Structure formats: C-alpha cells, structure tokens
Amino acid sequence: MHGLSAAQQEFLRRLALGDELTVARAMIGSGADHPLLDARSTSAIRLAALVSLDFNLGSVQIALAECRRAGLDTDDVLRIVSAIHPVVGSVRSRAARDAITASTNSW
C-alpha cells in the first residue's frame, strides 16, 4: 500500500481480517487508536455518521463533547453537517442543526 506507514498497513490488514481487538479499538478508540486519522478527523467522521442515523439528543451531546475535546468549534460542527447535507437530506440536516444548536447553548 503506497504511502502508508507500516503501522497504518498493519492496522488496515488487521481490520480487513476482522481481528476482534482491532475492530473494537476502531469502534471505541480515540485518534491515537486510529493510525490513519487524527482526533479531529475521527470526531468529525463520528459526528457525520451519527447525523446519517437516527439519533437522540444525548448521543449528539456526547459527539459534540468529543468534537470539542478534539478542537472543533460550533462553526466546524455546522460545516460538517452542511457538507453531508446532500447525502443525508434536509430532514436529517435540519434535525442535526436543531440538536446541535440546543446542545451548544451549554458550551
């Protein structure tokens, strides 16, 4: 795999093999557990994935806290929602913006 470090290649290999520990670390880990992503990218992707699913206010608050710890601010978060709007549609985007607005009032 051209351009990837040995650690990145090993991470992808283990993920592709379904290595349980690697899959678990990928699902619950932080940016340090993802050799392909930094903490900002990891939190942004998780937020985008959450918006694409049925979500509740509590899950949005957890995702926003992770984004804040990774250095993303409210404008960054709203840009993420705007970027995925063509994929998730107006209803999910609007619901996400409302949940984010309600949650960020306490930031």
Side-chain angles (χ1 to χ4, degrees), residues 3-48:
L4 298 177
S5 71
Q8 292 169 331
Q9 290 178 26
E10 181 64 12
F11 177 78
L12 290 175
R13 186 185 74 75
R14 289 180 175 277
L15 204 55
L17 291 173
D19 177 73
E20 290 182 23
L21 180 59
T22 302
V23 171
R25 288 178 61 206
M27 291 176 62
I28 63 171
S30 66
D33 293 324
H34 298 279
L36 302 176
L37 299 172
D38 61 14
R40 285 178 61 96
S41 298
T42 299
S43 63
I45 290 168
R46 286 183 176 165
L47 177 65

Side-chain angles (χ1 to χ4, degrees), residues 27-94:
M27 291 176 62
I28 63 171
S30 66
D33 293 324
H34 298 279
L36 302 176
L37 299 172
D38 61 14
R40 285 178 61 96
S41 298
T42 299
S43 63
I45 290 168
R46 286 183 176 165
L47 177 65
L50 179 65
V51 170
S52 71
L53 304 170
D54 287 330
F55 60 86
N56 61 41
L57 187 58
S59 59
V60 170
Q61 290 171 337
I62 291 168
L64 290 174
E66 183 180 344
C67 287
R68 186 174 55 236
R69 283 191 302 273
L72 297 168
D73 62 21
T74 304
D75 289 337
D76 295 324
V77 167
L78 292 174
R79 280 193 287 274
I80 292 164
V81 174
S82 295
I84 64 171
H85 172 84
V87 176
V88 301
S90 297
V91 174
R92 289 195 191 273
S93 293
R94 191 173 308 116

